[in-house]
Amino acid sequence: MRVLVTGGAGFIGSHTVERLLAQGYPVRVLDDFSTGHLDNLPHHSRLSIITGDIRSRRVVEEAMQGVTHVLHLAAQVSVAASVEAPVSSASINVTGFLNVLDAARAQRVRRLVYASSAAVYGMPARLPIDEDAPTAPISPYGLEKEINDRYAALYRDLYGLPTLGLRYFNVYGPRQDPNSPYSGVISIFCRRLREARPLSVFGDGLQTRDFIYVGDVARANAAALEGGLTGVCNVATGESISLRTLIKALGAVAGKQPLVSYGEARAGDIRESAADNRRLVTALRVSEFEPLGRGLTRLWASCA
Ligand code: UD2
């Protein structure tokens, strides 16, 4: 396998690149460094890096030369930004995606794996959510990812390009940006606890999420590239916890009692999220997820 990872300098991308290199594969990264960082990537003889934007067909084609497998992670990742600026978000997440998908078809890439999202499900009608649950996104971001899933299915049917969309749930771990109010809640809480500031909980803290450690997501990405599964697949641990439980676990790891302030629930928030991850476990053979305490310990150590 010779792998192109778009968005390889980002949070999930850089952990995946490390994993692929450790498994012996040559890796090329395409990143525009709008949110990714060169520091996230190791110096390695089998790693090459191209700076460029997925909205340019020429850039994508050049990056794909000689590649057998593509892991497409480059995206506009903020739900809030997609609500603020839906056209610009779609230019990256729909048009950019289509550029990558179509270049993969034209260059006869063997397999394309890409980042879909739990956001495609919207407000779930029943829990846990499996991949056959109806999609009903409630943000432009969720709609963009749903469109990705549909295009990918069409390219499989029309052109025989094997594609797999990974529907990530709530990913956390080192290198996640804590700086926006819409960053992942764990990265925000970690930073605040380091700075001895109160953790601000939106709502009563009883909302639940399936938090998956980024190292497990990197394993899922590698398995997805290596395997033959096509379609879509949830990436989650199969266990959800409330924010209150999360805060207790974080306090235990940090060895201090977090100060917590409760405010209004966030508009558009889903109350409960729980994933059915059987496809990940059985078809991609990814299991034995990092326990929350261990994942938080690694994050805490990295968040100085
Ligand atoms: C996640 C994804 C998003 C999309 C969505 C689909 C992340 C960062 N976002 O959004 O991309 O896929 O799932 O459903 O993974 N909260 C607080 N205080 C804070 C920040 C957040 O209480 O300072 C709450 C927030 O209101 C929510 C929960 O924590 O109830 C999780 O928030 P999040 O932004 O980490 O993730 P989520 O599930 O809204």
Side-chain angles (χ1 to χ4, degrees):
M1 229 167 49
R2 287 188 302 280
V3 191
L4 170 67
V5 183
T6 70
F11 164 50
I12 295 175
S14 62
H15 286 273
T16 308
V17 167
E18 274 177 9
R19 167 118 208 154
L20 292 169
L21 289 170
Q23 288 181 230
Y25 300 115
V27 178
R28 187 178 298 153
V29 163
L30 171 63
D31 202 299
D32 70 353
F33 294 97
S34 55
T35 56
H37 301 282
L38 201 53
D39 297 348
N40 285 345
L41 291 168
H43 292 281
H44 196 290
S45 56
R46 269 184 280 108
L47 174 64
S48 58
I49 300 167
I50 297 176
T51 304
D53 191 317
I54 54 163
R55 285 170 290 189
S56 158
R57 175 70 187 232
R58 186 185 51 79
V59 164
V60 169
E61 277 178 4
E62 276 173 22
M64 229 179 258
Q65 290 290 328
V67 157
T68 60
H69 291 65
V70 175
L71 177 63
H72 175 52
L73 303 176
Q76 187 299 104
V77 299
S78 163
V79 172
S82 81
V83 174
E84 292 286 311
V87 175
S88 132
S89 186
S91 75
I92 301 167
N93 291 354
V94 180
T95 311
F97 172 82
L98 197 52
N99 255 337
V100 173
L101 186 69
D102 198 58
R105 170 189 71 87
Q107 300 195 26
R108 300 187 200 286
V109 160
R110 274 190 241 156
R111 186 166 169 76
L112 173 88
V113 176
Y114 64 93
S116 182
S117 169
V120 301
Y121 297 117
M123 301 276 179
R126 61 190 156 79
L127 296 172
I129 311 168
D130 64 36
E131 290 85 352
D132 297 325
T135 52
I138 53 173
S139 64
Y141 173 82
L143 179 60
E144 289 152 14
K145 293 292 179 172
E146 187 192 10
I147 292 169
N148 287 189
D149 290 345
R150 289 181 174 234
Y151 262 121
L154 207 58
Y155 268 60
R156 282 199 309 281
D157 293 345
L158 284 178
Y159 309 115
L161 173 69
T163 62
L164 176 63
L166 296 175
R167 291 178 173 170
Y168 302 134
F169 279 65
N170 292 69
V171 186
Y172 76 98
R175 301 182 203 145
Q176 190 169 32
D177 174 19
N179 291 317
S180 137
Y182 299 102
S183 299
V185 66
I186 296 187
S187 67
I188 295 175
F189 281 4
C190 217
R191 165 68 68 85
R192 291 204 164 209
L193 194 56
R194 271 281 180 225
E195 295 171 348
R197 290 158 64 205
L199 314 187
S200 52
V201 171
F202 306 145
D204 61 9
L206 295 176
Q207 64 265 53
T208 60
R209 295 291 185 273
D210 186 317
F211 294 107
I212 180 163
Y213 186 67
V214 67
D216 291 333
V217 173
R219 273 200 294 144
N221 290 342
L225 286 166
E226 290 170 325
L229 180 68
T230 57
V232 293
C233 182
N234 288 343
V235 175
T237 68
E239 278 179 48
S240 290
I241 57 163
S242 70
L243 285 195
R244 290 191 189 205
T245 302
L246 167 70
I247 290 168
K248 272 203 204 107
L250 191 55
V253 162
K256 56 180 171 184
Q257 182 77 31
L259 300 167
V260 181
S261 70
Y262 289 90
E264 288 277 292
R266 192 161 73 182
D269 239 22
I270 55 171
R271 177 95 183 143
E272 285 185 275
S273 172
D276 182 326
N277 71 349
R278 278 176 295 180
R279 193 170 288 176
L280 177 68
V281 174
T282 57
L284 289 185
R285 299 197 174 284
V286 177
S287 59
E288 295 179 29
F289 301 96
E290 192 85 40
L292 184 72
R294 278 222 319 249
L296 289 178
T297 302
R298 287 165 190 258
L299 176 59
W300 182 248
S302 77
C303 143

